[in-house]
Structures are given as structure tokens and as C-alpha cells.
């Protein structure tokens, strides 16, 4: 009896095992929604501009065949433009033109036109965030006087793609000159949700004839006649473009924007000029609410290296202190003018509203709905302290005396 039961039990277990194996096989099928890599096409840049009631979308596409050939007059990338009624149509509109599925996750640069910026960043950012393939860490820039197609269509020496050249230029300016050039999609999206912070974007412009820049022959010279350059920062108020800071103003305001400790500057006076390199920058901003208006105290402590002197001064400790005071006064005057300019545009790119909200919660509730108007009238005082630690000279080095 026991033997029969064990035999029956064995048969049952075998059937269960067979059933388990069959069911497991059903779960081991391949992906039902897979896409072959050969069916996709990498996009490296995206441009967006208005065309009456529709959008013009420009995409930059690498040309892989040219990387392995050496054809004279050939390009390493292509620029394609397509018109659509909604940004949600980007993939279906491009698919029949490209004959491949566009890969949005490879986009490394997004260029918007001035008209798009004036209409507001909301719809653009919303479409990016709803597109699950779009990279939220891709830098954004604004084209001021040219269309994104013209901007991305300029040939560069060596055939470098415009997206690579622009992004590398932004990185270089940020690292070497303290220019706040890398503004990512996610940062713009975050600022759109804040009442106490306005957006800003780097401005890119074409120098020379844009039509001539489309010709590869324009690069066959030691001095290219057509190229693109970064000319400043676009200011936004209530998510709309309202004005700009030029390149020099952008570098100065970046002292309050940047997270980098490295920047260089040339300070000029009536009788001399001084080149300095900022090695360390400490920023402190405090706020108060006085007589119905916000007030801010901004304090900057700058540790710098003196790189050059444009006159025949003899460097001693007394002269060093004089130079520190001149530099501090010059930076203070420039910052005061630039911040006042942002107040006129009601563009709080420094995020002073967020600082006020965190430190003055009760008072913030009374002005949060009219913050930009309050920012325009806010009192802002600036204090700059400059400490020159090194002198960048090989000979006749002067060591600063400690007090």
C-alpha cells in the first residue's frame, strides 16, 4: 500500500514539474516591443521655432558613413527641418522623412528661437517632460537673430557638428571664465514651477552671412567668415523672454549665479588695468521685509590671483591693498547696475524670491502672487571683499603681509 502511494505521489510530482516547465517557457519569450538598433536614428540637436500657427522643428543628424570615408566637401552631419501643428507630432512627422525611428535620448543640445521664448517656456518644457525618451540634462540655448535651422546649419572647421561645438564652447566658458552657460532642461522646468526664481538661457548668434555659412568652402580659410558665438544671457519674466544681458554683463552676474570657483576678469581704471583670476568665492545673501518691501544684503568674499598689470607699478603691500579696493569697487558698481537692469525687466534670475520665501515665510505670503513687481522695487545692497593671495609672477614675487 505504501509502495503504491509513493508511486502515485511520484507521478503527480512529475506532472507538476512538466506543467511548471511549460508555464516557465511561456514567460521566457522575447520582448514584444523591442526595436532593432538598425531601425533607430540618433539625433544630436533639436531646434524649435514658430511658423504662424505651427512649429518648425530642426534636427541635427550624424552622417556615420562620412566618419569612415575621406570625401572632399562632405559633411559629418545633416540638418533636416519639418513643420507640424503640435510638438507631440515630432516622432510621427519625422518618421516618414528619416525612414527610421528618431532616438530623442541622444539629443545633446536644444535651441529655441526668440519667438518661441517670447511665447513662453511652458509648452516647450511640458512637451519635453512628457516625452519619456528626451534627456532632461540636455543644455538649452536661445537663438536671438537667426532661426535654429540657420544656427545648426553652419559648417565648422574640421566638420565638427554644431551641437558639439556649441556645448563645448559653453563648457569652456563656464570652466575658464565663470560664464554661467550650461542651463539644462530640468533646471528650466524646476524654475518654471517656482514663483521666486526666473529663468535665463545663453544666447547664440551667427557672425557673418548665415547663407554663406552653409557652404563648406567657408571653412577653408585661416579666418572663417561665418561662425557662431555666445553673446550673453536671455532674461525671462513669468516664463517669457523680456530682455538680455550682453556678454560682459553675463560674466559679471555669473559671480552670483555660478557654482564654480574659477573665473578670470580684466579690471580697468583710468590709469591702469589689472588681470585677476578668481580662485575662491564665498556668497552670502540675507533678506528682510521693511515697510512693505523686501530688502537684500549680498556679500561676496573673493580670493583672487593677480595675473597681470597693464602699467609700470611697483608691487608692494600698500599697492596690493589699493588694487584690492579698486577691484572690489569695480565689481560692486557693475553688479549694482546689472541687478538693477534685471529689476527693470522683472527677471529674478538670482532667485532672491526663493531666498526671501525660505527666511521670511509669513511675509512671503503677502507678496508671493506679485513677487516680480515686488522684486522690481526691492532694496538690494552689495558688499564686496577682495583678497589677493598670489601674484602670478615668477620674478620679484611679493608676499602679502598678514595683519
Amino acid at each position: 500500500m505504501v509502495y503504491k502511494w509513493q508511486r502515485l505521489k511520484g507521478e503527480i510530482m512529475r506532472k507538476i514539474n512538466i506543467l511548471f516547465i511549460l508555464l516557465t517557457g511561456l514567460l521566457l519569450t522575447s520582448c514584444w516591443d523591442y526595436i532593432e538598433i538598425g531601425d533607430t536614428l540618433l539625433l544630436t540637436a533639436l531646434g524649435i521655432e514658430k511658423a504662424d500657427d505651427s512649429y518648425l522643428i530642426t534636427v541635427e543628424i550624424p552622417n556615420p558613413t562620412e566618419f569612415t570615408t575621406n570625401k572632399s566637401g562632405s559633411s559629418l552631419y545633416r540638418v533636416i527641418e519639418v513643420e507640424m501643428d503640435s510638438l507631440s507630432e515630432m516622432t510621427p512627422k519625422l518618421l516618414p522623412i528619416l525612414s527610421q525611428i528618431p532616438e530623442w535620448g541622444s539629443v545633446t543640445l536644444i535651441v529655441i528661437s526668440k519667438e518661441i521664448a517670447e511665447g513662453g517656456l511652458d509648452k516647450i518644457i511640458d512637451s519635453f517632460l512628457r516625452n519619456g525618451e528626451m534627456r532632461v540634462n540636455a543644455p538649452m540655448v536661445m537663438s536671438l537673430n537667426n532661426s535654429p535651422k540657420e544656427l545648426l546649419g553652419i559648417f565648422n572647421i574640421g566638420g565638427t557638428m554644431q551641437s558639439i561645438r556649441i556645448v563645448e564652447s559653453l563648457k569652456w566658458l563656464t570652466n575658464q571664465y565663470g560664464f554661467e552657460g550650461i542651463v539644462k532642461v530640468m533646471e528650466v522646468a524646476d524654475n518654471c514651477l517656482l514663483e521666486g526664481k526666473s529663468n535665463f538661457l545663453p544666447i547664440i548668434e551667427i557672425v557673418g552671412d548665415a547663407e554663406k555659412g552653409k557652404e563648406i568652402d567657408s571653412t577653408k580659410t585661416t579666418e572663417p567668415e561665418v561662425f557662431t558665438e555666445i553673446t550673453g544671457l536671455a532674461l525671462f519674466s513669468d516664463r517669457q523672454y523680456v530682455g538680455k544681458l550682453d556678454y560682459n554683463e553675463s560674466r559679471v552676474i555669473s559671480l552670483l549665479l555660478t557654482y564654480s570657483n574659477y573665473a578670470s576678469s580684466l579690471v580697468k581704471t583710468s590709469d591702469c588695468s589689472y588681470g585677476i583670476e578668481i580662485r575662491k568665492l564665498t556668497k552670502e545673501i540675507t533678506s528682510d521685509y521693511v515697510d512693505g518691501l523686501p530688502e537684500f544684503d549680498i556679500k561676496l568674499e573673493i580670493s583672487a590671483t593677480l595675473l597681470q598689470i597693464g602699467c609700470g607699478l611697483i608691487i608692494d603691500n600698500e599697492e596690493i591693498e589699493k588694487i584690492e579696493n579698486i577691484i572690489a569697487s569695480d565689481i560692486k558698481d557693475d553688479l549694482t547696475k546689472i541687478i538693477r537692469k534685471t529689476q527693470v525687466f522683472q527677471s529674478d534670475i538670482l532667485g532672491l524670491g526663493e531666498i526671501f520665501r525660505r527666511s521670511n515665510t509669513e511675509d512671503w505670503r503677502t507678496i508671493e502672487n506679485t513677487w516680480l513687481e515686488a522684486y522690481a522695487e526691492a532694496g538690494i545692497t552689495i558688499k564686496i571683499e577682495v583678497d589677493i593671495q598670489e601674484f602670478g609672477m615668477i620674478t620679484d614675487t611679493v608676499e602679502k603681509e598678514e595683519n
Side-chain angles (χ1 to χ4, degrees):
M1 189 71 180
V2 175
Y3 173 75
K4 290 183 178 180
W5 166 246
Q6 290 177 341
R7 185 176 178 181
L8 179 61
K9 183 180 178 181
E11 290 291 337
I12 293 173
M13 291 302 298
R14 278 194 294 272
K15 291 179 180 179
I16 291 175
N17 289 336
I18 292 172
L19 181 61
F20 177 76
I21 292 172
L22 292 174
L23 291 175
T24 303
L26 295 176
L27 299 176
L28 295 178
T29 55
S30 60
C31 299
W32 60 271
D33 62 344
Y34 78 97
I35 299 175
E36 292 285 357
I37 191 170
D39 295 334
T40 62
L41 186 63
L42 299 181
L43 309 180
T44 51
L46 168 66
I48 306 174
E49 60 182 304
K50 289 290 289 182
D52 297 327
D53 295 329
S54 59
Y55 294 95
L56 284 178
I57 301 299
T58 303
V59 292
E60 180 190 72
I61 306 167
N63 196 359
T65 58
E66 300 300 336
F67 286 90
T68 55
T69 59
N70 189 22
K71 298 178 182 178
S72 176
S74 60
S75 174
L76 299 180
Y77 62 96
R78 294 176 291 156
V79 175
I80 295 175
E81 185 180 61
V82 62
E83 185 174 351
M84 59 193 67
D85 296 326
S86 171
L87 293 176
S88 62
E89 299 180 302
M90 288 194 296
T91 296
K93 285 287 187 179
L94 283 169
L95 189 58
I97 298 174
L98 303 177
S99 300
Q100 290 174 290
I101 301 172
E103 178 54 61
W104 298 105
S106 58
V107 170
T108 59
L109 177 70
I110 297 172
V111 184
I112 64 172
S113 67
K114 177 184 174 183
E115 291 72 27
I116 289 289
E118 288 174 335
L121 296 171
D122 305 60
K123 291 182 179 179
I124 304 298
I125 295 299
D126 183 67
S127 68
F128 293 161
L129 297 182
R130 290 179 183 276
N131 185 339
E133 297 179 3
M134 186 69 70
R135 292 175 59 180
V136 295
N137 64 341
M140 287 185 65
V141 298
M142 190 189 86
S143 178
L144 186 61
N145 298 316
N146 303 98
S147 69
K149 183 180 180 180
E150 290 176 327
L151 192 73
L152 294 174
I154 298 296
F155 276 104
N156 294 301
I157 294 178
T160 307
M161 291 186 293
Q162 269 290 72
S163 59
I164 294 177
R165 182 188 180 280
I166 292 173
V167 171
E168 290 303 314
S169 296
L170 292 171
K171 290 180 180 178
W172 190 84
L173 286 176
T174 299
N175 294 332
Q176 299 297 322
Y177 286 98
F179 181 92
E180 187 67 9
I182 304 295
V183 182
K184 300 176 182 179
V185 172
M186 199 66 226
E187 295 174 17
V188 176
D190 289 341
N191 292 339
C192 284
L193 298 175
L194 299 175
E195 294 295 334
K197 179 72 184 288
S198 300
N199 273 302
F200 62 90
L201 290 176
I203 295 175
I204 310 292
E205 295 188 71
I206 296 176
V207 177
D209 185 355
E211 287 298 319
K212 191 172 182 178
K214 297 177 182 178
E215 303 171 4
I216 198 166
D217 288 341
S218 65
T219 65
K220 297 178 179 179
T221 173
T222 55
E223 297 182 3
E225 298 179 10
V226 186
F227 55 92
T228 56
E229 69 175 359
I230 299 154
T231 60
L233 292 177
L235 303 179
F236 289 78
S237 178
D238 195 22
R239 307 176 186 89
Q240 295 177 318
Y241 170 72
V242 291
K244 68 170 225 175
L245 299 178
D246 65 29
Y247 178 75
N248 290 326
E249 291 172 330
S250 301
R251 284 188 59 187
V252 174
I253 199 67
S254 289
L255 291 173
L256 296 176
L257 293 172
T258 185
Y259 297 101
S260 171
N261 288 332
Y262 186 106
S264 62
S265 181
L266 184 65
V267 181
K268 295 182 179 180
T269 63
S270 58
D271 56 355
C272 199
S273 62
Y274 311 94
I276 63 169
E277 183 178 278
I278 297 174
R279 288 298 185 180
K280 184 177 180 181
L281 187 149
T282 303
K283 176 177 66 176
E284 181 183 357
I285 302 177
T286 57
S287 64
D288 199 359
Y289 195 58
V290 181
D291 297 330
L293 287 175
E295 292 188 354
F296 298 91
D297 291 320
I298 300 175
K299 182 180 179 181
L300 285 180
E301 294 181 357
I302 298 172
S303 178
T305 297
L306 188 62
L307 296 180
Q308 65 179 27
I309 301 174
C311 51
L313 288 178
I314 299 175
I315 296 296
D316 55 25
N317 283 281
E318 183 178 345
E319 192 62 36
I320 293 169
E321 185 176 350
K322 176 184 175 182
I323 294 172
E324 288 175 341
N325 292 333
I326 291 173
I327 293 172
S329 176
D330 189 83
I331 294 176
K332 178 182 177 180
D333 291 344
D334 285 345
L335 277 177
T336 300
K337 293 175 184 177
I338 297 167
I339 291 175
R340 184 55 199 156
K341 186 174 181 178
T342 67
Q343 288 182 281
V344 171
F345 284 121
Q346 295 187 10
S347 179
D348 181 15
I349 62 174
L350 299 178
L352 297 183
E354 286 303 299
I355 295 173
F356 186 86
R357 179 183 64 82
R358 290 193 294 267
S359 57
N360 306 78
T361 307
E362 293 298 325
D363 295 325
W364 170 255
R365 291 179 182 143
T366 64
I367 61 173
E368 62 177 326
N369 294 326
T370 56
W371 165 245
L372 293 177
E373 290 83 354
Y375 172 70
E377 301 297 328
I380 300 175
T381 58
I382 301 172
K383 183 179 180 181
I384 309 291
E385 294 181 3
V386 176
D387 182 20
I388 296 178
Q389 296 288 341
E390 302 175 13
F391 303 93
M393 294 181 289
I394 298 176
T395 60
D396 300 326
T397 300
V398 177
E399 292 186 2
K400 187 176 181 181
E401 294 179 354
E402 297 292 339
N403 294 328

